Amino acid sequence: MTERSVLVVLYDEVQSLDVTGPVEVFNGARLATGDRGAYRIRTASLDGAPVRTSSGLTLVPDMALTDAPDPHTLVVPGGNGSRAPDPLLIAWLRRRAPRAARLVSVCTGALLLAEAGLLDGRRATTHWVAVDLLARNYPAVDVDPEPIYVRDGEVSTSAGVTSGIDLALALVEEDHGREAALSVARHLVVFLRRPGNQAQFSVQLAAQTARREPLRDVQSWISEHPGDDLSVDSLAARASLSPRHFARAFRAETGMTPGRYVERVRLEHARRLLEESADGVEEISRACGYGTPEAMRRAFVRALGTAPAEYRRRFCPGPALVPAKTPAPVAHRSATPSKGLL
């Protein structure tokens, strides 16, 4: 089996999970494949000295970057230290990163790649808090704020923290097949695998949570019953409010209209069923409240620029699983991260 060397760049104020997440995935693949040489994992800092992470942990690298051989996969994690990087680190990336067969950034590691000119002319993403900064400071980069990771040729960028695990799982699947990646995902108790196009936020996190309990209950009801009557009149009755009062209060407390919220919940649920189930488009359209496949197709084209069948073909991570007869509640891996996680 071909050995693929992995080099992870370390620097002061790096985000520890951006480092350890991908490392655990690649190490897990060594165990899953029964070949401990499947990935040769090394870490390196500029001078080989220990670095202190943004959470206060100390990481001891294997070597100095100047002594590191050219890797197959170069991983550049994010962290608070990416906001004012050492010029010597940027110079090293500019000089050495193009020699790697694969270049990967996690979270705000994309800022380091962009500063080194390695994302010019490429589509890329980063943590949701930093997408505006990336777009503003590096206009040559085609910044996509939505996906949890983006792959553009040999360069891959990912969003905040745990999306680095998703991207690493995608690379393991590419290198060693779905079963190896599935084994790693099971061991780490994570999904295999969230498709890269999946939004950084579910609609429940993108929207604000209503302060008043009746409105919060309505938000939960919408998420759990996307195929039901979710008209303003119906939802207002559930909240024991007049339609006008309900619509005004819902928008004030969640930041979007009831209709927009319902639209996004239905789209999110339909995307998940297309990715994870064997249900047909007609069945999914009914389960998600669209009524007809044509109505769902129009919603997909309007929001995503592609039809449901094409979406499934492009983004289903593997063979269809089993029919999903009832809506499943949205699973969140974590709450919205704070600035300290960048």
Side-chain angles (χ1 to χ4, degrees), residues 132-156:
D132 288 343
L133 177 65
L134 181 62
R136 182 174 63 251
N137 289 356
Y138 307 99
V141 182
D142 179 11
V143 179
D144 189 338
E146 292 292 333
I148 57 172
Y149 63 81
V150 168
R151 302 191 64 186
D152 187 335
E154 71 279 10
V155 179
S156 300

Side-chain angles (χ1 to χ4, degrees), residues 146 199-208 222-223 226 230 254-272 288 290 299-300 302-304 330:
E146 292 292 333
Q200 294 192 34
F201 284 125
S202 68
V203 64
Q204 287 80 8
L205 289 182
Q208 303 168 36
I222 293 171
S223 299
L230 301 180
T254 68
M256 62 178 69
T257 66
R260 178 60 174 157
Y261 191 88
V262 168
E263 179 184 340
R264 294 186 66 173
V265 166
R266 283 175 167 163
L267 182 68
E268 182 178 280
H269 188 65
R271 289 172 67 173
R272 190 167 67 251
C288 296
Y290 289 109
F300 266 66
R302 182 170 59 250
L304 304 174
V330 176

Side-chain angles (χ1 to χ4, degrees), residues 60-76:
V60 181
D62 295 305
M63 63 187 73
L65 284 171
T66 52
D67 298 329
D70 295 333
H72 175 272
T73 300
L74 179 64
V75 179
V76 181

Side-chain angles (χ1 to χ4, degrees), residues 16-27 161-162 164-165 168 188:
S16 57
L17 282 175
D18 289 0
V19 175
T20 58
V23 166
E24 290 295 341
V25 171
F26 290 124
N27 184 63
V161 191
T162 54
I165 294 175
L188 296 178

Side-chain angles (χ1 to χ4, degrees), residues 92-121:
W92 185 91
L93 287 171
R94 187 178 292 119
R95 183 176 65 256
R96 296 287 300 277
R99 301 182 191 177
R102 287 194 304 221
L103 180 57
V104 173
S105 72
V106 182
C107 196
T108 55
L111 297 175
L112 300 177
L113 299 190
E115 181 66 21
L118 299 168
L119 298 182
D120 288 357

Side-chain angles (χ1 to χ4, degrees), residues 27-51:
N27 184 63
R30 297 167 66 216
L31 304 177
T33 60
D35 182 356
R36 291 184 175 272
Y39 294 102
R40 182 179 176 85
I41 307 165
R42 293 289 183 270
T43 58
S45 65
L46 267 176
D47 55 4
V51 302

